Tab-separated table of all heavy atoms in Angstrom:
chain	number	residue	atom	x	y	z
X	211	GLY	N	11.289	-6.626	14.079
X	211	GLY	CA	11.618	-5.235	14.298
X	211	GLY	C	10.594	-4.512	15.165
X	211	GLY	O	9.951	-5.075	16.039
X	212	THR	N	10.406	-3.231	14.811
X	212	THR	CA	9.626	-2.298	15.656
X	212	THR	C	8.125	-2.606	15.679
X	212	THR	O	7.607	-3.065	14.669
X	212	THR	CB	9.809	-0.860	15.127
X	212	THR	OG1	9.050	0.060	15.915
X	212	THR	CG2	9.406	-0.721	13.694
X	213	ARG	N	7.549	-2.325	16.824
X	213	ARG	CA	6.098	-2.511	17.003
X	213	ARG	C	5.349	-1.332	16.388
X	213	ARG	O	4.085	-1.332	16.367
X	213	ARG	CB	5.775	-2.658	18.460
X	213	ARG	CG	5.931	-1.437	19.271
X	213	ARG	CD	5.974	-1.689	20.763
X	213	ARG	NE	7.125	-2.552	21.078
X	213	ARG	CZ	7.224	-3.345	22.152
X	213	ARG	NH1	6.237	-3.324	23.028
X	213	ARG	NH2	8.293	-4.023	22.374
X	214	PHE	N	6.036	-0.276	15.954
X	214	PHE	CA	5.389	0.973	15.528
X	214	PHE	C	5.090	0.978	14.035
X	214	PHE	O	4.470	1.920	13.541
X	214	PHE	CB	6.224	2.161	15.909
X	214	PHE	CG	6.367	2.315	17.410
X	214	PHE	CD1	7.523	1.872	18.084
X	214	PHE	CD2	5.360	2.869	18.154
X	214	PHE	CE1	7.661	1.992	19.391
X	214	PHE	CE2	5.477	3.041	19.506
X	214	PHE	CZ	6.609	2.558	20.167
X	215	ASN	N	5.476	-0.031	13.269
X	215	ASN	CA	5.152	-0.073	11.842
X	215	ASN	C	3.804	-0.747	11.603
X	215	ASN	O	3.750	-1.940	11.215
X	215	ASN	CB	6.260	-0.806	11.072
X	215	ASN	CG	7.490	0.038	10.856
X	215	ASN	OD1	7.569	1.149	11.394
X	215	ASN	ND2	8.409	-0.403	10.059
X	216	THR	N	2.744	0.006	11.817
X	216	THR	CA	1.417	-0.549	11.733
X	216	THR	C	0.740	-0.317	10.371
X	216	THR	O	-0.366	-0.714	10.147
X	216	THR	CB	0.547	-0.002	12.834
X	216	THR	OG1	0.554	1.469	12.735
X	216	THR	CG2	1.052	-0.367	14.245
X	217	GLY	N	1.424	0.400	9.496
X	217	GLY	CA	0.836	0.604	8.151
X	217	GLY	C	-0.296	1.614	8.070
X	217	GLY	O	-1.023	1.616	7.035
X	218	VAL	N	-0.477	2.463	9.078
X	218	VAL	CA	-1.598	3.403	9.073
X	218	VAL	C	-1.557	4.305	7.889
X	218	VAL	O	-2.531	4.500	7.132
X	218	VAL	CB	-1.641	4.163	10.407
X	218	VAL	CG1	-2.718	5.308	10.317
X	218	VAL	CG2	-1.984	3.261	11.571
X	219	LEU	N	-0.385	4.938	7.585
X	219	LEU	CA	-0.257	5.834	6.487
X	219	LEU	C	-0.279	5.074	5.144
X	219	LEU	O	-0.777	5.612	4.156
X	219	LEU	CB	0.996	6.637	6.572
X	219	LEU	CG	0.853	7.970	7.328
X	219	LEU	CD1	2.159	8.789	7.175
X	219	LEU	CD2	-0.286	8.794	6.849
X	220	LEU	N	0.276	3.883	5.121
X	220	LEU	CA	0.197	3.119	3.894
X	220	LEU	C	-1.259	2.812	3.520
X	220	LEU	O	-1.678	2.948	2.362
X	220	LEU	CB	0.981	1.844	4.046
X	220	LEU	CG	0.945	0.845	2.871
X	220	LEU	CD1	1.533	1.484	1.639
X	220	LEU	CD2	1.734	-0.427	3.217
X	221	ARG	N	-2.055	2.401	4.480
X	221	ARG	CA	-3.478	2.161	4.252
X	221	ARG	C	-4.157	3.438	3.819
X	221	ARG	O	-4.998	3.411	2.908
X	221	ARG	CB	-4.086	1.587	5.525
X	221	ARG	CG	-5.606	1.356	5.395
X	221	ARG	CD	-5.892	0.054	4.652
X	221	ARG	NE	-5.758	-1.092	5.491
X	221	ARG	CZ	-6.036	-2.327	5.075
X	221	ARG	NH1	-6.384	-2.521	3.827
X	221	ARG	NH2	-5.904	-3.378	5.867
X	222	PHE	N	-3.825	4.579	4.463
X	222	PHE	CA	-4.463	5.822	4.110
X	222	PHE	C	-4.162	6.147	2.666
X	222	PHE	O	-5.053	6.571	1.864
X	222	PHE	CB	-3.923	6.966	5.006
X	222	PHE	CG	-4.495	8.315	4.637
X	222	PHE	CD1	-5.665	8.789	5.152
X	222	PHE	CD2	-3.774	9.092	3.707
X	222	PHE	CE1	-6.163	10.080	4.769
X	222	PHE	CE2	-4.317	10.316	3.285
X	222	PHE	CZ	-5.447	10.807	3.825
X	223	MET	N	-2.863	5.958	2.237
X	223	MET	CA	-2.526	6.309	0.866
X	223	MET	C	-3.179	5.408	-0.146
X	223	MET	O	-3.543	5.815	-1.206
X	223	MET	CB	-0.980	6.259	0.725
X	223	MET	CG	-0.256	7.322	1.524
X	223	MET	SD	-0.804	9.029	1.063
X	223	MET	CE	-0.368	9.049	-0.668
X	224	ILE	N	-3.285	4.135	0.181
X	224	ILE	CA	-4.001	3.188	-0.688
X	224	ILE	C	-5.471	3.639	-0.876
X	224	ILE	O	-5.969	3.699	-2.020
X	224	ILE	CB	-3.909	1.766	-0.141
X	224	ILE	CG1	-2.461	1.243	-0.202
X	224	ILE	CG2	-4.828	0.816	-0.946
X	224	ILE	CD1	-2.229	-0.039	0.489
X	225	ASP	N	-6.096	3.952	0.226
X	225	ASP	CA	-7.486	4.381	0.195
X	225	ASP	C	-7.646	5.720	-0.506
X	225	ASP	O	-8.693	6.013	-1.128
X	225	ASP	CB	-8.038	4.526	1.618
X	225	ASP	CG	-8.227	3.155	2.277
X	225	ASP	OD1	-8.160	2.157	1.569
X	225	ASP	OD2	-8.363	3.150	3.514
X	226	ALA	N	-6.587	6.568	-0.513
X	226	ALA	CA	-6.580	7.872	-1.194
X	226	ALA	C	-6.351	7.731	-2.698
X	226	ALA	O	-6.352	8.768	-3.382
X	226	ALA	CB	-5.606	8.826	-0.549
X	227	GLY	N	-6.104	6.529	-3.162
X	227	GLY	CA	-5.960	6.329	-4.597
X	227	GLY	C	-4.525	6.388	-5.108
X	227	GLY	O	-4.273	6.426	-6.331
X	228	ALA	N	-3.501	6.309	-4.174
X	228	ALA	CA	-2.129	6.288	-4.655
X	228	ALA	C	-1.860	4.925	-5.362
X	228	ALA	O	-2.383	3.932	-5.020
X	228	ALA	CB	-1.193	6.404	-3.446
X	229	ASP	N	-0.994	5.018	-6.369
X	229	ASP	CA	-0.622	3.820	-7.132
X	229	ASP	C	0.188	2.929	-6.212
X	229	ASP	O	1.116	3.350	-5.495
X	229	ASP	CB	0.184	4.189	-8.342
X	229	ASP	CG	-0.613	4.966	-9.372
X	229	ASP	OD1	-1.841	5.050	-9.221
X	229	ASP	OD2	0.006	5.518	-10.292
X	230	THR	N	-0.101	1.643	-6.210
X	230	THR	CA	0.556	0.685	-5.335
X	230	THR	C	1.360	-0.375	-6.141
X	230	THR	O	1.153	-0.531	-7.323
X	230	THR	CB	-0.427	-0.039	-4.418
X	230	THR	OG1	-1.384	-0.817	-5.197
X	230	THR	CG2	-1.178	0.978	-3.540
X	231	ILE	N	2.191	-1.088	-5.453
X	231	ILE	CA	2.940	-2.159	-6.019
X	231	ILE	C	3.199	-3.161	-5.013
X	231	ILE	O	3.314	-2.848	-3.774
X	231	ILE	CB	4.290	-1.649	-6.655
X	231	ILE	CG1	4.896	-2.713	-7.543
X	231	ILE	CG2	5.250	-1.198	-5.564
X	231	ILE	CD1	5.992	-2.198	-8.428
X	232	GLY	N	3.235	-4.452	-5.353
X	232	GLY	CA	3.630	-5.529	-4.438
X	232	GLY	C	2.474	-6.387	-3.973
X	232	GLY	O	1.300	-6.011	-4.054
Side-chain angles (χ1 to χ4, degrees):
T212 178
R213 70 197 63 201
F214 296 99
N215 282 8
T216 57
V218 171
L219 269 189
L220 177 60
R221 179 77 83 178
F222 176 90
M223 292 303 299
I224 293 171
D225 291 344
D229 296 347
T230 62
I231 193 166

